[in-house]
């Protein structure tokens, strides 16, 4: 944080918010939209570093969110960009079963004039709403010019009292694999908008929303962390960001595979309709998925019933089997997963 | 961190390191050059989050380091880019008087093929050397394509036992303002290389080194933190990243100004020679400065002698005065500070 600091001084100057071009503009927006205080924050924005007080274990994640790699200004609204840039980080915290407490924002602003005050108002308001709803304080950041709009956010969180931090394993054969939230729906939205832009929303509103405003599964993560802390049985959890085909092997580790049972009618209607229009297999499309920002986990057979009762949206989709490899509805699945814009 | 994880799996595949294009490449390089373990790290690279154990207070900073904003591939070596990207963050930790313990690396890689395996070997080796020397573990990160090379690093550190965390004030009139390290030298290097490229090194070797391989003043920061913890008297400290003209008001706050006394012959010989060649005033040039990655601080008059004795490279440069404004050698100083590449 080679930042500036004196927000009151800048306010005294009466500079109207406009394009986000200087560090003064940047910190003006932060001070307008984001709280400065949090119980875990000893010293917030305006010094070389933020000073945190995080007794015990804490979880940290960082993600890039770049124009024309992770989003398009062509069909994302400013608010959706601000929301999703933070949401992808909070989703990693959900994948550990912990509660967000803070984040740092690096913002890259294109040098041209296409992003005006109205853009930044919407952008920061949406990011701040998500942050405040999640309980995460903006502790600092950095601003730079760059060729395209971009963000690099670092977010952190802590387990609730008595809760476990949930890692990607180890899982065992016989464990039940589950998801929380839709998979394949965000990719449906991406494909529709890459083809039709925002007009896709008329026919695929849920898919567009899944792609543009993913809702990190923080509440579900916390319930899973609490149950695991109380009685164990949750053998792995991660956030489903690159699609089941790519992320599930990361949950399973070297030694295990999975047999998934995914009836086509368990998928969202918009996925099935889109697959029908394009001639794709809807289940295969959904398993490739990508950017679902759902949760993917595993639990012992004796635990899964409790999870189904207590975690909203949790669905068993198969089980861990000995030996590597993935079958879906009895057939070997060999397609690799999602990579943003084909990278 | 929507990352991949199975480094051993990738090693088994025997994939040779090459361009840094996929997350597998990225994590291969990280595993090749960076330790995975640290006493403060409960869970390192390869999950949704890193899990840290940081009892007490900890300091966090984040900075962007982008091609053609903060550096040029035209005249930086790959190792210098890797070094400086991390160094600018560690300098923020030096500015708080704390010891680095870890960092997260977001890396943006241009889609063209100009950065090859030799580039990445040098880049990561230099970053890892700085990290290891400083005691900071690489806890995770993210990779993305982008139009230009870039980094967003988040680094953290903790105060040593009994030491204080040093913030930007509050300072009082009569406090002695000091620097640790050269100021104006890195800007000399920048100006020379923008004009002449790497050829500038023949005549301005120290200036080129100051710009391309800044050495964060971590040892000095730790001594200052220890003295402040033992007996107080250090009334403000910050890292000098935007030049004295821009950073000193941030140290002074709303109410105070400063009277600086900077003899021309206290400046590095290369600054004076460059100023002579360009017809600029060397003191004015050095006070504007920028990217010094020195330290700027203030101490009570009764403390400054001890600091001069115990902190290598510490120099008093003036004192805090009542009322805003800056004088240098008795004259009002009105030029604003450094902004990268004129932004």
């Amino acid at each position: 944080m080679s930042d500036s600091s004196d927000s009151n001084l800048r306010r005294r100057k009466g500079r109207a918010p406009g394009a986000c071009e200087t560090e003064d503009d940047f910190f003006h927006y932060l001070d307008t939209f984001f709280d400065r205080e949090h119980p875990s924050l000893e010293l917030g924005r305006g010094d070389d570093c933020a000073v945190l007080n995080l007794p015990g274990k804490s979880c940290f994640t960082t993600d890039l969110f770049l124009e024309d790699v992770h989003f398009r200004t062509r069909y994302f609204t400013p608010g959706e960009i601000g929301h999703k840039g933070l949401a992808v980080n909070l989703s990693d915290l959900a994948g550990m079963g912990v509660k967000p407490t803070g984040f740092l924002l690096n913002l890259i602003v294109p040098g041209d004039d296409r992003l005006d005050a109205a853009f930044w108002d919407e952008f920061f308001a949406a990011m701040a709403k998500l942050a405040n709803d999640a309980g995460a304080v903006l502790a600092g950041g950095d601003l730079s010019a760059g060729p395209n709009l971009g963000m690099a956010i670092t977010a952190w969180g802590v387990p609730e009292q008595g809760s476990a931090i949930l890692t990607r394993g180890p899982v065992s054969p016989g464990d039940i694999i589950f998801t929380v939230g839709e998979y394949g729906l965000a990719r449906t939205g991406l494909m529709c908008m890459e083809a039709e832009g925002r007009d896709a929303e008329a026919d695929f509103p849920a898919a567009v929303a899944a792609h543009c405003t993913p809702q990190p599964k923080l509440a579900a993560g916390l319930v899973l962390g609490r149950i695991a802390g109380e009685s164990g049985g949750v053998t792995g959890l991660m956030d489903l960001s690159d699609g089941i085909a790519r992320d599930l092997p990361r949950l399973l580790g070297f030694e295990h595979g999975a047999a998934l049972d995914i009836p086509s009618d368990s998928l969202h209607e918009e996925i099935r309709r889109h697959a029908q229009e394009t001639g794709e297999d809807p289940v295969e499309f959904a398993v490739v998925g990508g950017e679902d920002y759902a949760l993917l986990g595993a639990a012992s057979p004796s635990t899964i019933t409790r999870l189904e009762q207590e975690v909203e949206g949790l669905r068993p989709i198969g089980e861990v089997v000995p030996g590597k490899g993935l079958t879906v509805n009895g057939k070997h699945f060999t397609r690799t997963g999602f990579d943003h814009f084909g990278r």
Side-chain angles (χ1 to χ4, degrees), chain A:
Chain A
M1 282 189 292
S2 55
D3 54 28
S4 62
S5 55
D6 292 340
S7 60
N8 291 324
L9 178 63
R10 287 195 301 279
R11 282 188 184 135
R12 282 214 308 262
K13 285 189 201 159
R15 192 178 187 289
C20 192
E21 287 179 0
T22 68
E23 287 193 334
D24 279 358
D25 298 329
F26 179 53
F27 282 90
H28 175 96
Y29 276 111
L30 301 194
D31 290 342
T32 301
F33 288 101
F34 294 89
D35 286 345
R36 294 185 76 87
E37 295 183 0
H38 189 278
S40 68
L41 190 64
E42 296 270 341
L43 178 69
R45 304 190 294 270
D47 211 304
D48 291 336
C49 290
V51 181
L52 308 187
N53 198 336
L54 299 169
K57 297 179 189 177
S58 50
C59 295
F60 282 77
T61 183
T62 198
D63 272 306
L64 290 160
F65 190 63
L66 305 178
E67 185 176 1
D68 291 336
V69 180
H70 304 95
F71 68 90
R72 308 268 193 208
T73 46
R74 177 161 55 83
Y75 57 70
F76 272 69
T77 69
E80 287 166 351
I81 297 169
H83 170 95
K84 189 169 178 179
L86 178 57
V88 300
N89 281 277
L90 299 187
S91 184
D92 280 321
L93 297 174
M96 306 297 281
V98 300
K99 182 168 172 43
T101 50
F103 69 111
L104 298 167
L105 169 64
N106 287 301
L107 184 65
I108 306 169
V109 174
D112 53 43
D113 289 333
R114 67 192 158 97
L115 306 181
D116 58 9
F119 179 96
W120 292 113
D121 279 340
E122 268 192 69
F123 172 93
F124 285 115
M127 185 184 288
K129 179 171 192 321
L130 179 60
N132 292 338
D133 288 352
V137 68
L138 178 53
D142 191 21
L143 174 80
S144 174
N148 287 328
L149 178 62
M151 277 167 268
I153 286 179
T154 296
W156 55 91
V158 296
E160 291 189 318
Q161 184 77 30
S163 289
I165 293 176
L166 293 165
T167 61
R168 292 187 178 178
V171 300
S172 302
D175 283 354
I176 306 301
I177 297 164
F178 63 81
T179 55
V180 181
E182 299 288 342
Y183 48 93
L185 190 59
R187 184 162 172 246
T188 302
L190 172 64
M191 294 298 155
C192 292
M193 281 189 292
E194 285 287 296
E196 299 174 50
R198 198 71 190 201
D199 292 345
E201 199 165 18
D203 288 333
F204 295 93
V208 165
H211 184 69
C212 294
T213 50
Q215 304 297 326
K217 300 296 178 289
L218 290 163
L222 289 176
V223 176
L224 290 164
R226 177 169 54 73
I227 292 172
E230 283 170 11
S231 51
V234 182
T235 54
L237 189 70
M238 66 185 295
D239 113 282
L240 189 49
S241 55
D242 292 339
I244 290 174
R246 186 168 290 217
D247 281 335
L248 183 54
R250 297 168 179 162
L251 187 80
L252 297 169
F254 307 131
E255 295 173 17
H256 305 307
L260 303 187
D261 179 18
I262 301 176
S264 175
D265 62 9
S266 72
L267 302 174
H268 194 283
E269 177 272 330
E270 291 184 17
I271 301 173
R272 286 178 282 142
R273 184 152 45 87
H274 177 261
Q276 193 164 34
E277 288 179 9
T278 58
E280 289 173 275
D281 178 74
V283 173
E284 186 176 311
F285 181 93
V287 170
V288 170
E291 300 206 86
D292 303 301
Y293 301 110
L295 296 177
L296 179 67
S300 66
S302 62
T303 306
I304 193 73
T305 308
R306 180 174 175 197
L307 299 188
E308 286 183 85
Q309 286 164 353
E310 296 192 28
V311 182
E312 198 183 323
L314 185 144
R315 278 187 299 186
I317 60 166
E319 69 174 83
V320 180
V321 298
K324 292 193 70 71
L326 173 62
T327 63
V328 178
N329 301 337
K331 286 185 284 194
H332 280 288
F333 194 91
T334 54
R335 281 190 57 185
T336 54
F338 171 82
D339 217 343
H340 292 101
F341 297 103
R343 182 176 173 74

